[in-house]
Amino acid sequence: MASVILPSATSDTSESQPGRFGIYGGRYVPETLMAALVELEHEYAAAKVDAAFQAELALLLKDYAGRPTPLYFAKRLTTQLGGAKIYLKREDLLHTGAHKINNALGQALLAQRMGKKRIIAETGAGQHGVATATVCALLGMECVVYMGEVDMARQELNVLRMRLLGAEVRAVSSGSKTLKDAISEAMRDWVTNVRTTYYLLGSALGAHPYPTMVRDFHRCISREMKEQILQKEGRLPTAVIACVGGGSNAIGAFYEFIPDRQVRLIGVEAGGRGTALGEHAARFRGGAPGVLQGTFSYVLQDDDGQIAATHSVSAGLDYASIGPEHAALHDSGRAEYVSQDDTATLDAVVRLARTEGILPALESAHAVAEALRIAPMMPPHDILVVNLSGRGDKDMGILARELQLPGA
Amino acid sequence: MAIQFRHKPGLVVYLTAGDPSLDATRAIALGAIDAGADVIELGVPFSDPLADGPVIQRASERALARGTRLKDVIALAREIRAARPEAGLVIFSYFNPILRYGLVRFADDAAAAGADGVLITDIVVEEAQQYLAEMDRVGLAPIFLAAPTSPDERLEAIATHSRGFVYAISRTGITGKQLNLTDDAAALVARIRRWTRLPVAVGFGISNAEHVAQVGEFADAAVIGSAIVDLIERSTPETSPGAVVRFIKGLQLQPAALAR
């Protein structure tokens, strides 16, 4: 179906034309936004080669956000599992608690460069919202964050953090009241206030140039990983594992390894609580190519092209589509995509907390769960690098309930 | 059949197909045509209508809750065409339902049903190559949106690729009511006319006779969507056709001198 309407793939991942990853990506937006997207594309291209901009971003990433993040050898976990060596890329140690700050800093500096004073964002788990509220406080910008009502209830701590930071959190009550609906509402705001407002999109999603730009701001993850593993082990890892919602932490963790074809790239989607449409967010298992919110990618949808409901215990993976570059990596076979369900994820949270004293975010715990599954089947000289994209403090409410912790 | 505006300004009426039912949409459309609508835009309900305000969002939810599918909308177009051979008929949709149906199959079926044109909200000219080829193959008019934010080079491409009419968006924003027409609209229409002799219709926020008269001063047609969908929401399925007819008659449309 896809090849009927779109250009054919030229290579496995590199942009076949600006904004196209194989056949995926593109710009499917209302005309009102096109001028803003073209302007953003040009401004980003200029910032990318602007040494002063890059130096300012590098300094903030280092002194404010806390880069480089450590690559930690999980010795006890490795010993317990008795297979591959497991390393954790500690994005959870970054300021605000997740990788999202990399992109929020980059785009907020870009917005400042463009003279925009009002920032809008969407958020699912609230980590991107918190990161955006944080950088807006830092740079003195107005910040409005759209968040689905379901997500506001289950990630209440992050709602409070955003408000304390001075952001306005607007509840979204349409549709499934989750990330997808928050993006639609942010786009409605943007289409209305496009002349004054910068849309700080939080994942490698949406219309060009967002998927490329967001990936670039997270490339530092794999760049550091590569240096660190070569320093510690003198060789590349057997596999890199990352959870995939929209796909920002995963594309950041994969990107520098794409040319190293011996390194397996494993994306872990949310298996939710079942295999029926509506019970999970595994786009590569139940989805088909389609257009949602500005980009052509895999989309969970029904036979009529209506977007399906999704479910995951983690708000950040609970989304019906996936970044277009992942769609291209999937089709070319360069990356593998699997899923882990809610139960395995909760088990992984407990396992990592009690073995290593590290509480992962529910999103990141999907990647940990996949490592727990495959490490024992691998020989001891193999190396797994898990991108621990965020910390789990925000999930304590859900964890207390789901795990029936005493006192909850 | 080519799209013709028989009034000055002409009237384009947007209806979300299947809200509150397909039968009601048919009755409303026929009533609207008889009351003076030159073109009916049959909206395909979509789960995630990001260019629409709350009124059309709710209408889409109601239509989807009743199980309205793209094939039903095409069938409805066929019935309206059979009953009113002279009216302009446009299928209005987000891209994904059409993509899922199959672009080639959609073009064949929409043309066979007697539609005149197609408007896809989230297709811009850069992404339209295959879509344009299909529209051309079956003789359907692709109608593109032009926005106040569109620079001249985009307007040239929009005007060049549009058939039937060009849809000028009155202001930045989503569909829905507004109090006053901004200067944006007149300036945009003037810019579009530099590139085309096609009629230009102005939409988004047009909700009363005063707006329509204002649009008539600088454009060929006015598009009314949310105001009518809102009226349908506040009526029963039985009373909505009459309510829409009264609303359109209240716009005091004047027949165009038969030029061209």
Side-chain angles (χ1 to χ4, degrees):
Chain A
M1 180 175 64
S3 58
V4 174
I5 60 135
L6 293 158
S8 56
T10 51
S11 67
D12 61 359
T13 175
S14 60
E15 292 177 52
S16 44
Q17 49 180 285
R20 282 279 172 200
F21 307 94
I23 61 170
Y24 301 103
R27 273 180 184 145
Y28 299 88
V29 292
E31 171 64 23
T32 307
L33 294 179
M34 277 304 294
L37 287 166
V38 171
E39 182 196 10
L40 181 59
E41 180 183 8
H42 293 150
E43 292 283 340
Y44 174 60
K48 203 173 170 178
V49 296
D50 178 347
F53 177 90
Q54 293 297 338
E56 188 180 5
L57 176 58
L59 189 67
L60 282 172
L61 286 171
K62 177 172 171 285
D63 291 345
Y64 186 73
R67 301 212 73 89
T69 57
L71 184 69
Y72 167 73
F73 175 48
K75 189 176 170 188
R76 265 173 56 82
L77 189 64
T78 298
T79 307
Q80 275 189 12
L81 293 171
K85 295 177 89 165
I86 298 176
Y87 281 87
L88 305 175
K89 178 62 174 166
R90 300 294 309 274
E91 295 295 294
D92 60 314
L93 292 178
L94 284 171
H95 181 44
T96 70
H99 73 290
K100 295 290 188 188
I101 192 80
N102 302 326
N103 170 57
L105 277 170
Q107 286 200 55
L109 287 181
L110 184 60
Q112 191 180 51
R113 194 175 191 274
M114 293 168 70
K116 306 274 184 181
K117 293 185 169 55
R118 179 175 183 266
I119 304 286
I120 57 169
E122 82 299 333
T123 198
Q127 288 303 120
H128 174 60
V130 167
T132 304
T134 297
V135 299
C136 286
L138 176 70
L139 300 176
M141 293 165 143
E142 181 188 348
C143 179
V144 174
V145 180
Y146 290 91
M147 187 169 189
E149 279 181 350
V150 168
D151 292 340
M152 285 179 74
R154 61 178 162 170
Q155 306 277 224
E156 190 192 5
L157 186 63
N158 276 343
V159 176
L160 297 173
R161 289 169 77 192
M162 286 185 268
R163 287 181 172 151
L164 186 138
L165 287 158
E168 180 190 343
V169 182
R170 291 190 187 165
V172 178
S173 57
S174 56
S176 58
K177 306 175 175 56
T178 58
L179 177 59
K180 168 173 73 74
D181 311 285
I183 293 176
S184 285
E185 209 54 39
M187 289 185 78
R188 291 184 184 116
D189 182 318
W190 199 32
V191 85
T192 305
N193 302 300
V194 61
R195 290 175 168 125
T196 59
T197 296
Y198 183 94
Y199 181 18
L200 208 162
L201 183 60
S203 196
L205 291 170
H208 179 60
Y210 283 104
T212 304
M213 180 168 71
V214 174
R215 175 251 281 155
D216 287 351
F217 286 134
H218 288 301
R219 274 177 81 165
C220 50
I221 301 172
S222 50
R223 196 179 294 133
E224 289 172 12
M225 265 183 191
K226 204 167 183 175
E227 275 178 30
Q228 290 164 325
I229 200 70
L230 287 173
Q231 194 185 26
K232 287 173 194 292
E233 294 282 348
R235 59 201 165 98
L236 293 174
T238 313
V240 176
I241 307 178
C243 67
V244 194
S248 68
N249 94 81
I251 202 68
F254 292 172
Y255 197 69
E256 298 288 336
F257 293 105
I258 290 172
D260 305 310
R261 304 196 72 89
Q262 72 274 31
V263 179
R264 289 173 62 193
L265 305 175
I266 304 172
V268 188
E269 299 186 281
R273 61 190 170 205
T275 54
L277 197 62
E279 298 294 304
H280 62 84
R283 288 67 46 104
F284 291 128
R285 200 178 64 209
V291 165
L292 178 64
Q293 296 175 331
T295 194
F296 180 67
S297 184
Y298 279 74
V299 180
L300 288 165
Q301 55 185 307
D302 68 14
D303 292 341
D304 295 321
Q306 306 295 341
I307 309 308
T310 52
H311 166 81
S312 171
V313 69
S314 67
L317 305 188
D318 200 352
Y319 182 64
S321 187
I322 186 167
E325 194 160 13
H326 287 291
L329 288 168
H330 170 270
D331 282 13
S332 72
R334 178 62 192 94
E336 311 155 46
Y337 294 85
V338 297
S339 63
Q340 287 288 341
D341 65 16
D342 289 353
T343 306
T345 298
L346 289 164
D347 289 347
V349 170
V350 175
R351 184 76 177 264
L352 193 67
R354 296 194 179 165
T355 310
E356 295 289 348
I358 294 171
L359 174 59
L362 282 167
E363 289 75 19
S364 323
H366 285 74
V368 176
E370 179 63 10
L372 297 179
R373 187 183 75 83
I374 64 173
M377 301 185 280
M378 300 169 75
H381 63 264
D382 277 4
I383 300 167
L384 289 179
V385 176
V386 178
N387 195 36
L388 209 65
S389 55
R391 69 177 87 124
D393 308 39
K394 70 181 174 65
D395 297 317
M396 279 318 303
I398 298 169
L399 292 170
R401 259 195 320 279
E402 295 285 338
L403 303 172
Q404 298 177 345
L405 298 177
Chain B
M1 154 120 355
I3 291 171
Q4 284 183 5
F5 293 105
R6 297 161 198 276
H7 300 89
K8 180 69 185 154
L11 179 66
V12 180
V13 168
Y14 167 90
L15 301 170
T16 299
D19 169 43
S21 69
L22 287 161
D23 284 346
T25 305
R26 182 179 53 236
I28 294 165
L30 298 183
I33 292 164
D34 295 344
D38 298 290
V39 176
I40 298 291
E41 288 179 346
L42 277 182
V44 178
F46 184 51
S47 54
D48 296 80
L50 59 81
D52 285 300
V55 170
I56 292 177
Q57 287 177 46
R58 287 197 300 271
S60 301
E61 284 173 17
R62 287 191 296 269
L64 289 174
R66 305 249 336 177
T68 310
R69 310 178 62 179
L70 177 53
K71 71 173 176 61
D72 302 324
V73 181
I74 294 170
L76 178 61
R78 183 189 297 275
E79 292 173 17
I80 294 170
R81 167 56 68 234
R84 298 291 183 276
E86 76 289 355
L89 203 48
V90 172
I91 295 180
F92 188 107
S93 185
Y94 287 82
F95 192 28
N96 202 55
I98 289 173
L99 200 47
R100 185 70 175 187
Y101 191 88
L103 186 59
V104 173
R105 180 179 160 220
F106 169 77
D108 286 337
D109 292 357
D116 299 300
V118 176
L119 195 161
I120 301 181
T121 322
D122 48 356
I123 282 273
V124 293
V125 283
E126 287 88 342
E127 305 287 2
Q129 207 176 344
Q130 296 281 343
Y131 164 63
L132 284 170
E134 285 304 309
M135 294 295 102
D136 187 54
R137 179 178 65 82
V138 299
L140 284 170
I143 297 157
F144 287 96
L145 298 165
T149 50
S150 307
D152 286 347
E153 62 268 24
R154 295 195 58 77
L155 290 184
E156 181 180 9
I158 288 163
T160 308
H161 289 109
S162 289
R163 298 287 179 271
F165 62 94
V166 179
Y167 187 136
I169 300 173
S170 67
R171 49 157 168 78
T172 62
I174 52 179
T175 57
K177 285 186 183 175
Q178 69 188 38
L179 293 178
N180 298 302
L181 275 182
T182 64
D183 295 339
D184 275 0
L188 174 60
V189 172
R191 289 199 297 134
I192 293 168
R193 291 206 199 278
R194 278 192 247 156
W195 310 108
T196 183
R197 299 172 79 168
L198 283 176
V200 180
V202 173
F204 280 40
I206 312 295
S207 61
N208 57 38
E210 193 189 338
H211 288 156
V212 171
Q214 278 177 276
V215 166
E217 287 168 17
F218 58 85
D220 303 292
V223 187
I224 302 189
S226 294
I228 286 176
V229 174
D230 180 57
L231 194 57
I232 294 167
E233 183 176 44
R234 290 187 284 107
S235 310
T236 65
E238 294 72 33
T239 61
S240 57
V244 171
V245 165
R246 279 191 299 281
F247 176 87
I248 293 174
K249 287 189 170 158
L251 299 174
Q252 312 269 333
L253 301 169
Q254 303 300 317
L258 290 174
R260 263 182 242 258

